[in-house]
Amino acid sequence: MIEGFGALPAAVNPLDAGSLLAVFGTVGIAVVLFAETGLLIGFFLPGDSLLFTAGLLCTAGAHGDTRLSLPWVMFAAAAGALVGAQCGFVLGRRGGRVLLARSRNRHLLDGVARAEEFLGRYGHAKAIVLARFVPVVRTVLNPLAGALDVPVRVFTLWQVAGGLLWSLGLVLAGYLLGSSIPSIDTYLLPAVAVIVVLSLLPVGIEFLKARRRTARRDRASGAGDGRRRRDDPVP
């Protein structure tokens, strides 16, 4: 279970999936996913690239010191993602709004705004599943759902569905790619870069949609003001 868990180096880069896996192995997957999905301090952690890289390192084509076991990686990924989300929900029930309100981190506050928009636009079930695939949003939506009194059964059902789809899906995607490409280590950094870009696509799409909605509202508001001015009686 803990392949790759060796002596700690002088420094570990928490933003680098390869560094985390080389030092902490499979245990690190569970810890990182728990922190990213259950604790507000974990919003900066590389969940997407960590899962994908872990899948790559389970293949026969992976060389070097870090080799992982696919069953243990899948277990650690699912456990960290599911337990973390449920923990975040419970923390939200016990004071999540206060914690979020005290934060001054711009990225975290942006994530709160997007998470609230997700819940308002898609409803509880769809928002909880989709949030898993959006960095930062998957960190703040769980405590936010608790703070907004989303029913426990509803949250638990859909966070399990979304958590398994996200965590196991990315691990298996890395594993299948690594199994089909010889010497995958050569392409590790480009592959992880692609995953990071893909993970940011939902954020970009949501941002563009929000800008379009704002532009439409502004045009509609401007048109309405123009009509009101034309309809005003001439003194």
Side-chain angles (χ1 to χ4, degrees):
M1 176 179 179
I2 54 174
E3 299 94 335
F5 190 90
L8 296 180
V12 179
N13 184 357
L15 302 179
D16 179 17
S19 173
L20 289 168
L21 291 170
V23 176
F24 300 109
T26 309
V27 173
I29 299 170
V31 173
V32 168
L33 294 191
F34 177 87
E36 188 187 16
T37 59
L39 306 176
L40 292 175
I41 59 173
F43 69 92
F44 63 90
L45 292 170
D48 294 316
S49 58
L50 182 74
L51 291 167
F52 185 79
T53 304
L56 287 176
L57 294 176
C58 292
T59 63
H63 304 292
D65 296 330
T66 307
R67 288 290 299 277
L68 303 175
S69 165
L70 182 62
W72 280 117
V73 166
M74 294 178 69
F75 174 78
L82 302 187
V83 176
Q86 205 68 30
C87 178
F89 179 79
V90 172
L91 291 175
R93 279 287 176 95
R94 297 182 178 180
R97 274 292 187 183
V98 176
L99 292 174
L100 292 171
R102 289 178 178 175
S103 174
R104 294 295 179 266
N105 187 281
R106 181 177 59 82
H107 295 293
L108 194 59
L109 294 176
D110 288 346
V112 172
R114 290 198 299 269
E116 289 181 318
E117 184 181 358
F118 263 55
L119 287 168
R121 186 189 308 173
Y122 300 117
H124 295 159
K126 192 174 180 181
I128 291 167
V129 173
L130 289 176
R132 288 288 191 171
F133 298 88
V134 184
V136 183
V137 174
R138 63 172 161 261
T139 301
V140 299
L141 186 132
N142 302 318
L144 187 63
L148 296 176
D149 292 323
V150 173
V152 176
R153 287 187 178 181
V154 172
F155 177 81
T156 302
L157 172 63
W158 292 106
Q159 78 93 349
V160 169
L164 292 177
L165 183 63
W166 171 64
S167 60
L168 301 186
L170 280 176
V171 169
L172 290 174
Y175 179 78
L176 292 174
L177 181 63
S179 299
S180 60
I181 300 178
S183 301
I184 188 61
D185 296 45
T186 307
Y187 311 100
L188 182 57
L189 289 178
V192 171
V194 170
I195 290 299
V196 171
V197 171
L198 291 177
S199 71
L200 294 175
L201 278 180
V203 179
I205 292 171
E206 289 299 322
F207 176 75
L208 291 175
K209 287 182 177 178
R211 290 194 61 179
R212 289 172 182 171
R213 286 195 299 271
T214 301
R216 284 197 295 267
R217 284 197 298 267
D218 291 344
R219 286 196 297 269
S221 176
D225 291 342
R227 285 194 297 271
R228 282 193 294 273
R229 286 193 294 270
R230 287 195 298 271
D231 294 340
D232 287 342
V234 178

